Amino acid sequence: MNKAKALQYSILVIIGILLNYQFLPFGDYCVGLFSALKLILIGGIFAIIVVVICLINLNHRIKNGRKFDFIPVIIFSFFSLTTYLLMENDYDKFWTKTILTGKIESENKPTSGNLKLYENGTFEISIRYVDFTCNYSGNYKIQDSFVKLERENLESETENFFTTEYRVYSKERKMKPLKKEFEQIVIQ
């Protein structure tokens, strides 16, 4: 393999990784219109580069009788498929199991919030606004019927939507905050 081919493949793999990276749910992140624009921009650049490479390969095939190089098509297909699967996964942490899902619907605010507790001791809070969603992650501990979300500044980061300590009422399917000014979470 010559250096030009290695450079082509490297560029395609880097663009493919950039395309997939935005759909992996690591740490805190927000998604919305800007995420869709990034997908269109990076995906468009990726597709254009692959088409140009294929046209050059086809030209070499017709003029010089070289065999067609399918590796760029395979790289494009692989990253397109993984991007599609990650989008279908809807930012879920597919490597761990969800053990509890709860929701807050506030009449006083134009937002809603979701809480997911995972089997590996982590949680994820999603605050849904009209045109975007922000997600916050951390660890949690369950002791007796109390859940403690171990994250500093959780209340201010979630705009006083979530607090750090809740009592779980399994029969009522609710989690009630220990601080009265917060709303309860309905377990789904």
Side-chain angles (χ1 to χ4, degrees), residues 23-42:
F23 296 106
L24 294 173
F26 294 117
D28 296 347
Y29 59 93
C30 291
V31 294
L33 181 61
F34 184 67
S35 299
L37 293 175
K38 279 194 310 188
L39 171 67
I40 291 169
L41 178 67
I42 295 172

Side-chain angles (χ1 to χ4, degrees), residues 2 45 49 93 99 111 166 178:
N2 61 24
I45 290 170
I49 290 173
K93 295 180 179 180
I99 61 170
T111 57
Y166 291 89
L178 299 184

Side-chain angles (χ1 to χ4, degrees), residues 66-105:
R66 291 185 195 167
K67 75 177 193 177
F68 189 81
D69 185 11
F70 284 101
I71 294 176
V73 175
I74 292 169
I75 292 171
F76 180 77
S77 299
F78 172 77
F79 283 109
S80 296
L81 178 66
T82 55
T83 299
Y84 172 76
L85 293 174
L86 286 170
M87 287 173 59
E88 283 295 310
N89 194 40
D90 196 29
Y91 294 95
D92 267 346
K93 295 180 179 180
F94 52 85
W95 57 88
T96 186
K97 183 180 173 186
T98 304
I99 61 170
L100 183 138
T101 302
K103 187 171 190 170
I104 295 177
E105 297 246 0

Side-chain angles (χ1 to χ4, degrees), residues 106-112 128-130 161:
S106 176
E107 294 178 12
N108 303 334
K109 299 177 183 176
T111 57
S112 65
R128 298 186 187 279
Y129 300 93
V130 175
F161 218 66

Side-chain angles (χ1 to χ4, degrees), residues 45-160:
I45 290 170
F46 195 29
I48 289 169
I49 290 173
V50 169
V51 167
V52 168
I53 290 172
C54 287
L55 289 174
I56 291 170
N57 283 336
L58 192 60
N59 186 33
H60 287 306
R61 167 101 171 103
I62 293 169
K63 285 187 177 181
N64 304 333
R66 291 185 195 167
K67 75 177 193 177
F68 189 81
D69 185 11
F70 284 101
I71 294 176
V73 175
I74 292 169
I75 292 171
F76 180 77
S77 299
F78 172 77
F79 283 109
S80 296
L81 178 66
T82 55
T83 299
Y84 172 76
L85 293 174
L86 286 170
M87 287 173 59
E88 283 295 310
N89 194 40
D90 196 29
Y91 294 95
D92 267 346
K93 295 180 179 180
F94 52 85
W95 57 88
T96 186
K97 183 180 173 186
T98 304
I99 61 170
L100 183 138
T101 302
K103 187 171 190 170
I104 295 177
E105 297 246 0
S106 176
E107 294 178 12
N108 303 334
K109 299 177 183 176
T111 57
S112 65
N114 293 328
L115 169 67
K116 289 185 180 180
L117 300 181
Y118 294 102
E119 193 174 57
N120 64 356
T122 61
F123 72 86
E124 181 177 67
I125 289 176
S126 299
I127 307 289
R128 298 186 187 279
Y129 300 93
V130 175
D131 56 346
F132 67 98
T133 301
C134 287
N135 297 284
Y136 306 95
S137 298
N139 296 319
Y140 73 90
K141 287 191 178 169
I142 296 177
Q143 188 172 24
D144 298 324
S145 61
F146 293 94
V147 174
K148 180 170 176 54
L149 305 176
E150 297 179 332
R151 180 172 172 132
E152 291 183 29
N153 304 321
L154 181 66
E155 294 170 3
S156 63
E157 288 175 347
T158 63
E159 298 176 15
N160 291 324

